[in-house]
Amino acid sequence: MIEAARHALEAALGSCIEFDANLSRHTSLRIGGPADALATPERCEDLVGLMKLCAEYDLPHTVLGAGFNTLILDGGIEGVVIRTNAMRSIAREPEGIRSETGISHNSITKYCIEHGLAGLEFGAGIPGTVGGWIAMNAGIADREAKDVVREVVWVEPAGTVRRASRDELAFRYRALEGLAPGSVIVAALLAVTPSKPRSVQAEVDRMLAHRRDTQPLDVPSCGSVFKNPGGDFAGRLIEAAGLKGAREGAAEVSHKHANFIANRGEAKAADVLALIERIQETVARESGVHLEPEVKIVGRPS
């Protein structure tokens, strides 16, 4: 990174910019090489200024959010990595809940319980933040982010703030399409309905218990590694192929849920990639199905 760009970033973001940052500390897998620069804007205005600087100095940027559902390669990431988890205001509006991009599902769940608001319980226990939740159209088998989104606000690469209603957005399975490449979601309006706090709490408890029973929540992982193919489940196919417990280095297919890869020690991104390729090859050979990664793979090889 040229010195002029570095000085401009420091002047604009102060303590919210870090150079040569170790990204393994900021991902759920605890894996990843360094970032040239790691920015953590605290307000939409800060993000707009950051995006304009990236455009001015021709700096590539990568949105990390809270670091879930992401595999950062061992060579790290060129340019500016943007963490959005410092932008986390939440407020009740007549049409729903207005949430900034960095608020966690856990925080939304607590807010809904406290205020007796139903409709978002299905997201209880899904890791990450609202921005990633919407960008990935996260959800469960019968309910996804698209079902509760009323409006999304984002910043385009040139620094322009845009907003669109649900009807103007193009959601598909584990993706939101139609935003300019490199855009960063900054806020969303989510639909809720009045309920009793104890009713919301009961449904949240049910969802959390199911996740504890079926997912390896006690070890570093990135969540679901593969998308479910039509009419089937990636985890079932991986388990049927005899791959539970399969390892490459310290990366392991979870014994609890075969669509999770756990970091059992000092795993490298290369270990996880090798395991992903092994799973794809084995499942294709055994069942004829090609598994498409859900995890976002970003960065430079070592």
Side-chain angles (χ1 to χ4, degrees), residues 102-121:
I103 195 162
S104 68
H105 297 281
N106 183 51
S107 295
I108 284 185
T109 296
K110 289 180 178 178
Y111 184 91
C112 288
I113 292 170
E114 180 182 348
H115 293 84
L117 301 171
L120 304 179
E121 296 94 329

Side-chain angles (χ1 to χ4, degrees), residues 124-135:
I126 296 178
T129 57
V130 164
W133 189 52
I134 292 170

Side-chain angles (χ1 to χ4, degrees), residues 26-28 64-70 127-129 221-223:
H26 302 292
T27 67
S28 61
L64 182 60
F68 290 90
N69 203 240
T70 303
T129 57
S221 80
C222 59

Side-chain angles (χ1 to χ4, degrees), residues 27-31 67-69 125 127 211-212 214-225 247 250-267:
T27 67
S28 61
L29 256 174
R30 301 295 182 260
I31 288 174
F68 290 90
N69 203 240
R211 293 191 187 282
R212 284 193 298 268
T214 59
Q215 297 178 6
L217 305 181
D218 58 340
V219 292
S221 80
C222 59
S224 296
V225 176
R247 292 182 70 142
E252 179 185 81
V253 177
S254 170
H255 288 274
K256 198 166 191 179
H257 193 311
N259 199 20
F260 282 62
I261 291 178
N263 180 355
R264 287 295 182 179
E266 298 297 325

Side-chain angles (χ1 to χ4, degrees), residues 21-24 31-35 72-77 269 300:
N22 177 6
L23 292 177
S24 67
I31 288 174
I72 297 175
L73 299 183
D74 298 318
I77 299 180
R300 304 170 288 210

Side-chain angles (χ1 to χ4, degrees), residues 193-206:
T193 56
S195 182
K196 296 180 179 178
R198 64 175 178 272
S199 298
V200 180
Q201 179 75 69
E203 181 61 12
V204 166
D205 289 345
R206 187 183 71 83

